[in-house]
Amino acid sequence: VQLQASGGGLVQVGGSLTLSCAASARTRNSYAMGWFRQAPGKEREFVAGLSRSDGASHYADSVKGRFTISRDGIKNTVLLHMNSLKPEDTAVYYCAASVYYSIQTETYNWWGQGTQVTVSS
């Protein structure tokens, strides 16, 4: 599956952004989907994930209550709605797909190209 992430940009503290991940194939019942991010000088980290079939979602503690992951099964798109953004959310955000759900980057076999999110104070 090919993935293309978009929607990043520059936003002020407290603002909102929605990232989109367009998949070349059907993801519901086929792939678990995840959003990860990597800030300069840091390792790539899990942000949010969506299981393959039952729609269960999981979030990193740092974004819980502020970010929401969702799937549009018709458009084969996975969205990441980000609210109450903080400077520490600044990073390149990647979407990824895996046959098995996990919060580990190593589990994901397919990755989008990344989209930059910058939160300015």
Side-chain angles (χ1 to χ4, degrees), residues 25-61:
R26 177 186 176 91
T27 62
R28 190 188 301 275
N29 295 320
S30 299
Y31 300 98
M33 301 298 295
W35 282 97
F36 295 78
R37 67 187 182 187
Q38 188 166 17
K42 295 188 177 182
E43 294 187 353
R44 192 170 298 188
E45 65 175 1
F46 171 80
V47 175
L50 198 59
S51 66
R52 186 169 58 181
S53 57
D54 65 6
S57 58
H58 304 84
Y59 300 91
D61 289 342

Side-chain angles (χ1 to χ4, degrees), residues 1-8 17-28 31-36 48-50 68-82 93-98 108 110-115:
V1 62
Q2 293 181 326
L3 305 172
Q4 184 166 0
S6 61
L17 275 177
T18 296
L19 304 183
S20 178
C21 178
S24 62
R26 177 186 176 91
T27 62
R28 190 188 301 275
Y31 300 98
M33 301 298 295
W35 282 97
F36 295 78
L50 198 59
T68 303
I69 187 171
S70 63
R71 190 197 309 259
D72 183 331
I74 297 176
K75 296 181 180 179
N76 292 333
T77 299
V78 177
L79 304 176
L80 184 67
H81 304 278
M82 306 185 295
Y93 283 72
Y94 300 88
C95 63
S98 172
Y108 289 78
W110 299 275
W111 291 83
Q113 82 285 10
T115 184

